[in-house]
Structure formats: C-alpha cells, structure tokens
Amino acid sequence: MALMERILFGIAKQWIAGDTINDALNAAQVSYKNGMSVIINKLGEYHTSKNIIENTISEYKTIMGSFRKWKVSGAISVKPTQIGLMKSKKECLNNFEILIRAAAKSQTFVWLDMESSDHTDETIQIYENLLARYERLGIAIQANLMRSQGDLADLLSIGGKIRLVKGAYRESPDVALKSKEKIDQNYQRLMKILFESGNEFGIATHDGAMINFAITLAKTHEKKFEFQMLRGIRDELKPDLIKKGFSLSEYIPYGTNWLPYSIRRLKERKRNILLLGSSFLSHKMGT
C-alpha cells in the first residue's frame, strides 16, 4: 500500500465498517445502541461481471435478513450500477425486483443511491417503476444538479421518498452548480420544498448551516424526516440531535473497494477534509 493510500485508509476506516457483512452489522449494533438507525451500503459500482452482481445482490439480501436477528433498525442503500445498470436498465430493474421481494419479507427500507448525471434518468425511471409496487423505497436527489428541482417536483407528485444530498460526482458546468454558495442555496431551496410538500425524507448532510436550517423548518412543519450522516463524522453533534428528539440514521459503508469511495467523499467538499481531520484527531486523542 502506497504512503498516500495508507494515510487515506487511516482516515477512511473511521467511516468504513470493514470488509465483511459482519463488520457492517457489528457497526450497526453500536449505532443502534447509541439511538440511531442505520443505512448499510456495500462499496463498489459500475459492475458488469455476472458473478460480482449476483454476489452483491446476495449480500444485500443477507443483510436485510439479519437486521432482526442482530436487533438493528436498518435500511440498505444500493447503487444501480452495482446491480446491472451498466449492462441494461432492464437487468438492473429485474435485480432490484429481487431485492424488493426480499425487503418485503423483512419490511426493510431500500434507498436507491444516485450516481453521476449520466444515470439520473434511468435511476428515476427504475424508482418510479418499483415505487408502484413497494412503498418502503427512497431515492437520492443531488442539490448540485440544475435539474433537481424539476425531478423533486415529479417524484413528490407520485409520493416519492427523498434523501437530499449535495452530490459527490464530478460533473460538467452545463449540468451542475459549481460554487459551494450556489449548491448550498439550492440545497436549502429543495429542503424547503421537502418540508412543504414531502414526507418521510432524509436530510443527508454534515453541514452545520444546513442542519440548523432543517431544525428551523421542522419547527413550523410537522413532517416525518431523519438526519442522515456518515458513521464517524460529526459524532459530537449526533447525540445532541437525538436528545432534541430528531431521528438520525448513520450511513455505514463496508467492503474492500474503499479507495474510490473515500477519494470521492474527500473531493465532494473541501470542508469534508476539515471535518474528517477533526474527527480523526478527536478519535486519536480519545475525546
């Protein structure tokens, strides 16, 4: 392992549970004991190998079937390119149907992760198809994309359940907002729409200003929503939110394919580097 990779791994292991399903479920138990639900994601994307796709589906089914036994309140989060979208939309939809049937047995919530804008249309089409048959299903919307307000309106009109994120993929300025200020403004605009017209949504951010804006909106809009944060980031804030009566889910990634994910998380916003650095130092100093 190269030096930079070793340094990144030292930081990344705070939010990545480990390599295996058991690592993820062990981390989930800790979250649950601390008053949080969990969202488990197996790392990896852009799969075209039949064996890898089948193994990914099998692992998600095992996780969903294990939540009750491990006494965890949990959901899974699946990237469409993990389970066949790189081969065809039809194959991806068929594989999601396998997961939905397993989710129905354990009453598990399933999130569709949103990837780069190349896949936005197909991901939304798959979501709309599945939502007609399984209601415990949500989709991520990225505030950095210019199209997101229109997508949000369309999804809310069919009862869609939304996870609002800032967006972590490198995008063209033709389709995406580039400055932090503009992305934050759009995040707040979309959040306001969610509090006015949505229900059962996730505010997925580590940004204190966005969290405070959500708290303010919650005072005047009685909505079922939760904050969502990565395991290992903003750990000092999570107990305070729970004490105030807010629901909170920790996003727990696991698997060996940690490097591309971690680099994307760090590139996502320069502020993440500061948050990770302070969390890492606090952890090392035992605070």
Side-chain angles (χ1 to χ4, degrees):
M1 201 185 275
L3 177 61
M4 182 52 71
E5 201 171 320
R6 281 205 305 274
I7 292 167
L8 271 174
F9 182 72
I11 299 172
K13 67 183 182 183
Q14 289 177 91
W15 74 84
I16 291 168
D19 292 346
T20 68
I21 290 172
N22 275 11
D23 291 332
L25 290 167
N26 274 316
Q29 275 192 330
V30 174
S31 301
Y32 189 62
K33 282 171 187 167
N34 288 324
M36 293 174 280
S37 299
V38 298
I39 302 167
I40 294 181
N41 168 248
K42 178 174 166 58
L43 293 168
E45 54 206 300
Y46 300 112
H47 297 325
T48 52
S49 154
K50 187 171 183 281
N51 284 347
I52 291 174
I53 290 169
E54 286 178 353
N55 182 57
T56 300
I57 293 164
S58 173
E59 289 203 21
Y60 278 127
K61 285 169 71 177
T62 300
I63 289 163
M64 289 190 285
S66 302
F67 281 142
R68 194 167 293 166
K69 188 174 72 183
W70 285 67
K71 297 182 174 63
V72 166
S73 171
I76 60 168
S77 187
V78 185
K79 287 181 169 59
T81 66
Q82 289 188 301
I83 60 167
L85 188 59
M86 298 309 292
K87 298 175 87 174
S88 74
K89 187 172 80 174
K90 186 182 176 190
E91 179 164 337
C92 184
L93 180 59
N94 289 342
N95 288 333
F96 262 117
E97 284 171 343
I98 293 167
L99 288 178
I100 294 309
R101 284 196 292 273
K105 285 181 187 169
S106 57
Q107 281 299 293
T108 300
F109 198 96
V110 177
W111 287 102
L112 272 71
D113 255 346
M114 192 62 78
E115 300 174 85
S116 71
S117 60
D118 299 341
H119 306 300
T120 304
D121 284 328
E122 290 173 310
T123 302
I124 289 173
Q125 287 158 12
I126 289 167
Y127 179 72
E128 289 173 343
N129 188 313
L130 294 167
L131 186 64
R133 288 169 284 154
Y134 187 67
E135 63 173 28
R136 292 179 60 74
L137 195 69
I139 185 170
I141 287 290
Q142 298 163 314
N144 67 331
L145 295 185
M146 294 171 188
R147 61 176 287 171
S148 288
Q149 189 167 340
D151 289 337
L152 181 59
D154 292 343
L155 288 161
L156 290 179
S157 74
I158 60 165
K161 297 169 179 70
I162 308 297
R163 170 203 287 156
L164 184 60
V165 302
K166 287 195 180 179
Y169 289 83
R170 187 182 292 277
E171 300 285 1
S172 153
D174 297 338
V175 300
L177 304 166
K178 288 297 177 181
S179 75
K180 181 185 187 306
E181 185 184 12
K182 285 186 177 170
I183 294 165
D184 285 355
Q185 285 170 355
N186 203 37
Y187 194 96
Q188 289 182 324
R189 189 180 300 119
L190 299 176
M191 203 195 303
K192 211 166 173 223
I193 294 167
L194 280 173
F195 274 95
E196 286 165 358
S197 309
N199 206 16
E200 288 190 77
F201 51 88
I203 301 300
T205 182
H206 307 108
D207 185 328
M210 301 302 111
I211 291 164
N212 288 335
F213 190 71
I215 291 169
T216 301
L217 288 170
K219 287 172 185 169
T220 53
H221 298 79
E222 274 195 40
K223 297 287 179 171
K224 187 178 179 188
F225 81 99
E226 65 179 17
F227 287 108
Q228 297 177 355
M229 297 186 204
L230 269 171
R231 170 183 182 267
I233 302 186
R234 300 308 305 267
D235 286 349
E236 79 292 347
L237 178 62
K238 291 168 184 171
D240 187 47
L241 288 170
I242 292 163
K243 207 179 289 177
K244 286 177 178 169
F246 292 105
S247 298
L248 192 116
S249 277
E250 278 201 311
Y251 190 91
I252 299 177
Y254 80 96
T256 55
N257 195 12
W258 60 271
L259 188 57
Y261 175 88
S262 301
I263 289 170
R264 195 162 61 240
R265 285 274 79 83
L266 290 169
K267 281 182 177 174
E268 181 183 357
R269 298 283 167 268
K270 289 193 181 80
R271 178 156 171 73
N272 274 0
I273 298 171
L274 299 175
L275 289 171
L276 286 165
S278 63
S279 296
F280 185 57
L281 286 173
S282 296
H283 179 72
K284 283 288 185 192
M285 293 164 72
T287 58

